[in-house]
């Protein structure tokens, strides 16, 4: 194809572009060129971790990577305050932080990316009402359509389930009702598993803390504190606050919980 023809073809389908930036948990700034094209609207739901309609972070695996962003993300600040090799310890510290909230959300949220039959079985048993979504990676032969599907893993045998891997898993549940089962189902290997407890911090302006509608505590099980999307042998506890609260607000909350980030 000639260069002029190529450019005409691209411009013919181009509607709009944007070049936003996003500050990550690890204090790195990411830039992304967003292009909206008329010929193929994006139907893949965003996969990340955080409070619904607010925080999202980039997730990468062997096959794919993408990020979802929104206006509320840009108004928030997130920092790791505790890293441990003990998953139960990470959960305990997260609950100590949650106890400091003025208001706690009615639902906790889990998100992860599963690549083995065994791990799907363990996590499905821990949270039976979870949502599983299959999105074939580029170049793979789709097992349930080009756009993916939401398989019912409870009725599949291991051979059929394997054809739908990898699977994105998400679940919502009442805080304090399923976390122990999730920790027991983690196993030794696999991608990061994210648990988020939304709420609202109290207003303590004298300590730099200002309540925000998307405040939260998050644990990245098997997620490195510098990039929680990358699996590791450690578990990192994060605090989400408003940008107005920022570093000072996080330091105050960590001190109240007896943590020293």
């Amino acid at each position: 194809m000639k260069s002029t023809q190529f450019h005409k073809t691209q411009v013919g389908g181009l509607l709009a572009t944007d070049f936003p930036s996003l500050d990550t948990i690890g204090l790195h700034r990411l830039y992304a060129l967003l292009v909206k094209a008329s010929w193929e609207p994006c139907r893949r739901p965003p996969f990340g971790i955080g409070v619904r309609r607010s925080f999202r972070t980039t997730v990468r695996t062997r096959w794919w990577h993408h990020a979802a962003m929104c206006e509320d993300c840009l108004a928030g600040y997130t920092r790791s305050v505790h890293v441990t090799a003990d998953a139960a310890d990470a959960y305990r510290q997260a609950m100590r932080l949650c106890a400091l909230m003025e208001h706690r959300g009615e639902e906790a949220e889990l998100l992860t990316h599963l690549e083995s039959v065994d791990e799907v079985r363990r996590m499905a048993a821990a949270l039976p009402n979870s949502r599983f979504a299959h999105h074939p990676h580029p170049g793979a032969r789709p097992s349930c359509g080009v756009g993916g599907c939401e398989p019912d893993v409870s009725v599949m045998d291991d051979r059929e389930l394997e054809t739908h891997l990898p699977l994105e898993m998400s679940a919502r549940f009442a805080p304090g009702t399923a976390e122990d089962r999730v920790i027991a189902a983690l196993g030794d290997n696999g991608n990061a598993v994210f648990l988020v407890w939304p709420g609202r911090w109290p207003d303590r302006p004298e300590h730099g803390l200002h309540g925000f509608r998307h405040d939260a505590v998050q644990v990245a099980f098997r997620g490195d504190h510098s990039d929680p999307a990358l699996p590791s042998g450690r578990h990192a506890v994060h605090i989400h606050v408003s940008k107005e609260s920022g570093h000072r607000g996080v330091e105050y909350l960590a001190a109240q919980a007896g943590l020293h980030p």
Side-chain angles (χ1 to χ4, degrees):
M1 180 183 292
K2 294 182 179 180
S3 175
T4 54
Q5 183 182 356
F6 172 82
H7 288 296
K8 286 180 180 179
T9 301
Q10 300 305 306
V11 172
L14 186 64
L15 294 181
T17 63
D18 194 9
F19 191 64
S21 64
L22 174 67
D23 293 329
T24 68
I25 289 174
L27 302 182
H28 300 294
R29 177 157 292 178
L30 303 178
Y31 296 91
L33 177 63
L34 303 181
V35 181
K36 183 177 180 181
S38 59
W39 56 273
E40 187 180 359
C42 179
R43 295 183 177 86
R44 172 175 291 190
F47 177 72
I49 180 57
V51 184
R52 289 191 305 280
R53 301 181 299 279
S54 59
F55 176 75
R56 287 289 185 270
T57 187
T58 305
V59 174
R60 292 189 293 270
T61 71
R62 291 182 298 170
W63 308 119
W64 51 272
H65 70 278
H66 61 283
M69 292 179 287
C70 64
E71 292 181 1
D72 288 325
C73 308
L74 305 179
Y77 176 87
T78 302
R79 184 180 169 193
S80 170
V81 294
H82 185 68
V83 180
T84 175
D86 184 347
D89 175 56
Y91 174 55
R92 283 194 300 269
Q93 302 304 334
M95 291 302 97
R96 293 177 69 178
L97 288 166
C98 285
L100 300 175
M101 287 179 166
E102 185 176 54
H103 301 290
R104 296 182 63 175
E106 296 180 355
E107 290 183 317
E109 183 175 4
L110 176 145
L111 295 105
T112 188
H113 189 81
L114 308 174
E115 297 189 4
S116 73
V117 171
D118 180 60
E119 190 171 22
V120 172
R121 298 297 188 205
R122 294 199 313 269
M123 297 301 289
L127 291 168
N129 296 320
S130 302
R131 172 183 175 267
F132 294 90
H134 170 67
H135 300 290
H137 58 81
R141 182 178 179 181
S143 57
C144 57
V146 176
C149 62
E150 296 186 13
D152 184 353
V153 302
S154 64
V155 300
M156 291 181 172
D157 59 28
D158 289 356
R159 177 182 245 175
E160 184 181 7
L161 178 55
E162 190 168 10
T163 66
H164 289 78
L165 296 177
L167 283 172
E168 297 169 9
M169 175 185 177
S170 60
R172 296 170 188 169
F173 54 91
T177 62
E179 290 91 342
D180 289 342
R181 297 198 305 271
V182 170
I183 292 172
L186 285 174
D188 297 324
N189 300 300
N191 289 309
V193 176
F194 302 97
L195 273 180
V196 181
W197 298 269
R200 185 182 178 93
W201 302 116
D203 286 314
R204 299 287 186 271
E206 68 276 16
H207 298 290
L209 184 64
H210 304 272
F212 183 49
R213 66 185 183 279
H214 295 304
D215 290 334
V217 176
Q218 169 191 320
V219 175
F221 293 107
R222 295 196 304 243
D224 191 272
H225 70 286
S226 61
D227 189 345
L230 300 179
S232 74
R234 300 182 295 178
H235 317 286
V237 181
H238 302 267
I239 294 177
H240 300 273
V241 297
S242 66
K243 274 196 173 178
E244 185 181 10
S245 300
H247 175 80
R248 189 180 172 200
V250 169
E251 289 284 332
Y252 170 73
L253 290 170
Q256 292 296 108
L259 300 176
H260 305 283

